[in-house]
Amino acid sequence: DIQMTQSPSTLSASVGDRVTITCRASQSISSWLAWYQQKPGKAPKLLIYKASSLESGVPSRFSGSGSGTEFTLTISSLQPDDFATYYCQQYNSYSSFGPGTKVDIK
Amino acid sequence: EVQLVESGGGLVKPGGSLRLSCAASGFTFSSYSMNWVRQAPGKGLEWVSSISSSSSYIYYADSVKGRFTISRDNAKNSLYLQMNSLRAEDTAVYYCARGDTVTSFFDYWGQGTLVTVSS
């Protein structure tokens, strides 16, 4: 099974900050990685797929990069609506999620 | 508009069974793989099971293999999860989610249904 890790587990930031979240896979997953945003009591929302492809309707301040085992999600200028928990997901072999990164207000 | 609506959650005793349903609308259900993902209270997301568009390919997480069965009825635009031998650790919100292929990212999610396993 492919294990996913994320760092940091919690990130405190201010509106306007550039934020970067890292996701690592226990073995190569090529570019088969997605990122999701989840707010309390809501279903996850797809942000990025295939490591760097922006889902339709998602603001361009979100971007993804990486391949193989190391990936990043970047928010170029954090907005009030972006305070949430972010999960990575590999879909190279079945599926598995990272443990999540909570972005809260500094 | 794509809609996924789960139902069938509730309180069940350890060792009991429950069947979840997911009603799909707004897209050609028979063309997409479907999935179940769960989230225990205060915890992260856990993939549970996936089924291809024609039910030819079915996958399960090790944590539910042998106890849960995923199925679909394309004529009824519905996805199901039969859960048997339920354990306290199966307590979670269960989401159905649409996938492009049987191993895929999930582009649409339902609102979730809560399953509580407790005596």
Side-chain angles (χ1 to χ4, degrees), chain B residues 42-113:
Chain B
K43 303 298 184 183
L45 301 171
E46 181 187 13
W47 168 74
V48 173
S49 183
S50 299
I51 185 168
S52 62
S53 58
S54 61
S55 304
S56 298
Y57 300 95
I58 288 176
Y59 304 125
Y60 297 100
D62 288 344
S63 58
V64 305
K65 202 173 294 183
R67 300 188 299 122
F68 289 11
T69 302
I70 191 172
S71 63
R72 63 189 296 162
D73 185 335
N74 287 344
K76 294 183 178 179
N77 290 343
S78 292
L79 173 72
Y80 306 103
L81 186 68
Q82 177 67 44
M83 303 186 295
N84 299 331
S85 303
L86 283 161
R87 306 166 180 166
E89 54 266 35
D90 295 318
T91 294
V93 173
Y94 285 73
Y95 295 101
C96 68
R98 190 181 83 167
D100 183 28
T101 61
V102 72
T103 51
S104 175
F105 55 89
F106 307 143
D107 59 355
Y108 286 94
W109 298 62
Q111 84 289 349
T113 187

Side-chain angles (χ1 to χ4, degrees), chain A residues 68-84:
Chain A
T69 62
E70 188 156 333
F71 302 85
T72 59
L73 172 70
T74 299
I75 309 172
S76 60
S77 178
L78 197 66
Q79 298 302 300
D81 192 47
D82 301 338
F83 292 99

Side-chain angles (χ1 to χ4, degrees), chain A residues 1 34 36 38 41-46 48-50 55 87 89-99, chain B residues 37 39 43-47 50 58-60 62 65 95 101-112:
Chain A
D1 291 2
Y36 300 86
Q38 188 181 34
K42 300 294 187 182
K45 173 188 174 183
L46 176 68
I48 302 281
Y49 61 95
K50 208 173 178 185
E55 173 69 348
Y87 295 93
Q89 175 218 6
Q90 69 80 18
Y91 51 99
N92 178 74
S93 174
Y94 307 118
S95 181
S96 52
F97 290 89
Chain B
V37 176
Q39 186 169 35
K43 303 298 184 183
L45 301 171
E46 181 187 13
W47 168 74
S50 299
I58 288 176
Y59 304 125
Y60 297 100
D62 288 344
K65 202 173 294 183
Y95 295 101
T101 61
V102 72
T103 51
S104 175
F105 55 89
F106 307 143
D107 59 355
Y108 286 94
W109 298 62
Q111 84 289 349

